[in-house]
Amino acid sequence: MRTIWLLLCLPCTALASPWLRIEGVATTPQGAAAYRELHWQRSAQDGSERWVLYQCPDGRPFARKHLPATLQAQARGYTLEDRRSGQAAEVVADGGTVVVGWKEAAASARRQRRLSLPADAVIDAGFDAAVRLHWPALMRGERVSLPFLVPARQRFYPVQVVRSGSLRWQGIDAQSIEVSLDTWYGGIAPRLSLVYASADRRLLEFRGTSNLRDARGGYPQVVVRFASAPRESAAAEWQRAWTQPLVADCAVTPR
């Protein structure tokens, strides 16, 4: 019902104008198919409204995420629903605080906590915007420290972001970015490796821990590649995809 309500509240102009569509393909480190990510956003601006649909390798959708438009692209809220595990999140960022609602699995109780929003805080996909915001410093070789929200722990942890070098990625000039938690918190998440296009600073590859639980209840290691540049897409295409019912039996390849 929440999905239908959101669609009904959209103005007709939003449904008539084209959106940008971005597709990511996730595989295991061994190369086996895991899932696909279909992203729609209203414009190329980091704070524009975004909708993400996660699909099984056979094309059936199993999870969806909505990120509302915001002026603070690094630290905006979002909602997430994964029908396979029952995992759900509702994060609301408002002014200097953020309310984190988290449900780990269908059988788990929902937990909620209000936190102060640290300066330069990063929430979920806002990390992508943070990389672009700090791009000049990263290209100078500076190490950038950011407080990153871990919803399951309902607190912020400091992460270190640093450029590790230049490379060619599928014929594209690119930059390699490494992300790690301080060693004290190293057991929470492993190091992440990101690749960004040098020309337009768009994300090309994510290598690290997925934010979606697998069939065994863990968070698998994945490689997500965004090989194609964003393309214009009719809003009707997004609307058709978004209203598909989610399935509960898509098994993501175990770690």
Side-chain angles (χ1 to χ4, degrees), residues 79-181:
T79 58
L80 170 69
E81 175 188 10
D82 188 336
R83 188 61 56 81
R84 299 167 311 159
S85 64
Q87 179 184 353
E90 185 170 10
V91 178
V92 180
D94 183 17
T97 65
V98 56
V99 178
V100 184
W102 182 260
K103 186 178 174 67
E104 185 73 9
S108 303
R110 183 179 185 273
R111 296 180 290 118
Q112 181 170 305
R113 186 178 183 187
R114 181 181 294 272
L115 304 170
S116 296
L117 199 63
D120 221 9
V122 175
I123 298 174
D124 194 66
F127 188 84
D128 197 35
V131 168
R132 282 186 282 276
L133 179 65
H134 294 280
W135 189 265
L138 292 170
M139 293 306 104
R140 291 194 298 267
E142 297 178 20
R143 185 176 294 271
V144 177
S145 181
L146 300 168
F148 184 79
L149 178 67
V150 180
R153 302 292 183 106
Q154 297 191 311
R155 61 167 294 184
F156 287 88
Y157 290 89
V159 297
Q160 301 294 320
V161 189
V162 65
R163 172 182 175 267
S164 57
S166 303
L167 73 156
R168 291 282 289 177
W169 188 92
Q170 298 188 13
I172 301 173
D173 288 331
Q175 302 295 326
S176 177
I177 307 292
E178 298 291 328
V179 185
S180 61
L181 286 161

Side-chain angles (χ1 to χ4, degrees), residues 31 72 74-75 85 91 122 143 168 183 192 204 210-211 216 251:
Q72 48 182 19
Q74 276 192 200
S85 64
V91 178
V122 175
R143 185 176 294 271
R168 291 282 289 177
T183 53
L192 306 179
L204 300 174
S210 172
N211 65 335
R216 299 171 59 185

